[in-house]
Amino acid sequence: MSLSLHRDWVAQTLVDTPLGPLRLAASARGLGGAWFEDQKHHPGPLDAPARADHPVLAQARDELAAYWRAPRDARFTTPLDPAGTAFQRAVWAALCTLAPGQTCSYGALARQLQQTQAVRAVGAAVGRNPLSIFIPCHRVLGADGSLTGYAGGLARKRALLQNEGVPLPAELFTAT
């Protein structure tokens, strides 16, 4: 079943990014989706009109452009409306506290949430983030500093971290 059946999308648009097309979708309350077209957990076709001029989508597009120009200086202020459980939303809110160029481990994120026994659940919530880049799940690394997974693909995760100036060991640039 498509996520579009569970959300009342009011507008969508496709924006070009240096890492490929990104589908933005707005609900009545804010930006509800930002998916690379080929990423895991992409909801598929959305039942929403294509409206690049929608205020939420226009703001998101402008903020993404600023992010690509100067990622360390960029801040997202677009109202966000991700659909998820209370636990998922708590994880996503914690991710939003990570500044560009700052990383943490899944374990550190679980400790921040006072859920030390829930590292796997935290990882699952990170992986289901519906707002790529806006909720910076790419900033979460394995306990050993490894890239681990990323719904948009490890090459994109590496590129996002590089763009933000995160120093990564050379072997991470050849890993698949």
Side-chain angles (χ1 to χ4, degrees):
M1 186 175 284
S2 168
L3 182 63
S4 62
L5 297 176
H6 300 294
R7 294 297 308 257
D8 291 324
W9 299 114
V10 296
Q12 66 174 313
T13 191
L14 191 63
V15 297
D16 288 326
T17 78
L19 301 179
L22 189 70
R23 170 90 39 205
L24 301 178
S27 72
R29 292 169 301 286
L31 188 66
W35 305 275
F36 288 104
E37 286 292 275
D38 59 350
Q39 83 174 49
K40 291 180 191 172
H41 313 300
H42 188 296
L46 301 178
D47 184 17
R51 287 206 35 225
D53 64 339
H54 185 279
V56 167
L57 300 181
Q59 180 179 354
R61 185 185 59 246
D62 292 347
E63 289 177 354
L64 277 172
Y67 172 81
W68 296 116
R69 283 191 308 273
R72 292 281 196 148
D73 299 328
R75 297 295 178 264
F76 294 116
T77 60
T78 300
L80 303 181
D81 184 33
T85 66
F87 180 77
Q88 287 173 324
R89 289 191 312 270
V91 170
W92 300 335
L95 289 173
C96 288
T97 67
L98 295 172
Q102 179 185 9
T103 61
C104 75
S105 68
Y106 294 94
L109 196 55
R111 287 189 297 279
Q112 178 183 342
L113 294 164
Q114 299 179 345
Q115 300 282 337
T116 56
Q117 302 301 311
V119 175
R120 286 180 186 235
V122 165
V126 169
R128 296 296 272 184
N129 168 22
L131 287 161
S132 296
I133 304 172
F134 291 90
I135 296 177
C137 58
H138 62 276
R139 297 179 186 147
V140 183
L141 305 174
D144 62 356
S146 61
L147 292 183
T148 64
Y150 183 65
L154 290 182
R156 282 193 182 112
K157 185 171 187 167
R158 269 192 299 277
L160 288 164
L161 292 170
Q162 273 186 290
N163 194 42
E164 293 179 7
V166 174
L168 297 172
E171 60 270 13
L172 293 182
F173 294 101
T174 58
T176 57

